[in-house]
Amino acid sequence: MSFKVKADPEQDERVSPCDAPERKQNLVRILFVHRSLADVERCLYELKRMRFTVSSDVVLTPEQFAERLRSRPFDLIVAEYPSTNWRETQVLDLLGQMKKDIPLIFLIHGLKREAAAEFILKGAADCIEVDSIGHLPVAVHRALAEKALRDQRYRAEKELRRSEARYRALAGNLSYGICRCSLDGRFLEVNDALMRMLGYESKEELLALDLARDTIQEVDQRAQLLGLTSPGALADPVEMEWKRRDHATLRVRLSGREVLSEHGELEAYEVIVEDVTRQRELEDHLRRQAASDSLTGLANYRHLVDVLDSEIKRSKRTNREFSMLFFDLDGLKRINDRHGHMVGSQALCRLADVLCSCCREIDTAARFGGDEFALVLPETNAETASLVAQRICESVAHDDKGPRISVSVGIAVYPQNGETIERLLSQADSALYSMKRRRTVAAESRQVAAGR
């Protein structure tokens, strides 16, 4: 049985006409796969608090899930994990089978690093701990922004691959540059849009350049430009950097076709030039946002999983080991209770600063979540990793920028301690909590000795 959750009508009545454009912009249609109406209501409350307008529906079973996706459009899916009605990543599997490109966020009870890593690698947009539902609006915003970027790219590629009539219609277009090139790559004709794009005032100046020469003369690039890299398949248009007249760098995307003479002989090439500089800058910005922790600026756990995956592949090629350090900030709850959450957040940032100061350029420091951090050390054995861990512990202990802090650390080395991401995370976690237990036993022994 499924049930619907609707936005509060009284809240809609309180919205002024001035707010209408913002509400429309933040409107999101969410399908919840969840057994708890209370948790769904908490999610809706957090989203509305951040000025999202939500249209939502809730299902319980795979059959209901498939029926909803066939009958209604959704922008996002939020799924409970674990659930008695679902197998592991069945939600992701169904989305793939139905060819639905809809971002999926898991709400996890008792977040396990192994599960989170698996879900991200299989295509989930994010994983949120149920006790941290306040993070949901940021995750939703990021997932929708990434989906919009994918859609924009798909539409641009579709536009570039239209018929010959579309190419000719673009000759007078104000946004796309059009040029006709000789067989050796020299400009024969250019349109006004290409002149403006490259900052020239006359066609004569532009015709004197040979910006497309290398692309036309190089066999593989020419085949890619014309979409001839494999039979029956369209290749991605060529993307490269060109220089404007003022020497500024322009990122351009090229797509072309052959121009035949009346006798069917190859006469020239016609090329569409699209300025994608701002689009790439936006992609880089979103990519950095998606890969970083908003509080500390370190890599987030999604980026950490990607780094570990890359290091495992590289180690398999080079037969060189690498290490991962797993840190836990001791007593964060005590700091929050005694000094407030602002000081607690500062403590997390202090630890992040220490990790960065002890890193090489090839290392990756990440905040895994809460008070847990990780440091990936490429081409580093267990002995060197232990020295790095000791240096970090000492630096944290001597940090006098606030309440005294300390860390516990666990070390895992690939491939000795595991050959998968899940196994490495598990081994590092076990080593960390072994260190915590030893510290607890030692502290209790000192208390007993002092009381004698």
Side-chain angles (χ1 to χ4, degrees), residues 422-445:
E422 294 81 3
R423 187 60 181 165
L424 285 172
L425 290 170
S426 177
Q427 286 295 104
D429 191 48
S430 297
L432 184 150
Y433 282 97
S434 295
M435 179 179 182
K436 275 187 172 291
R437 284 193 296 270
R438 291 194 299 271
R439 285 184 171 181
T440 301
V441 171
E444 291 173 350
S445 298

Side-chain angles (χ1 to χ4, degrees), residues 261-277:
S261 68
E262 294 181 357
H263 304 291
E265 297 177 349
L266 180 61
E267 183 177 73
Y269 300 103
E270 198 169 81
V271 180
I272 288 181
V273 183
E274 181 188 6
D275 180 1
V276 294
T277 307

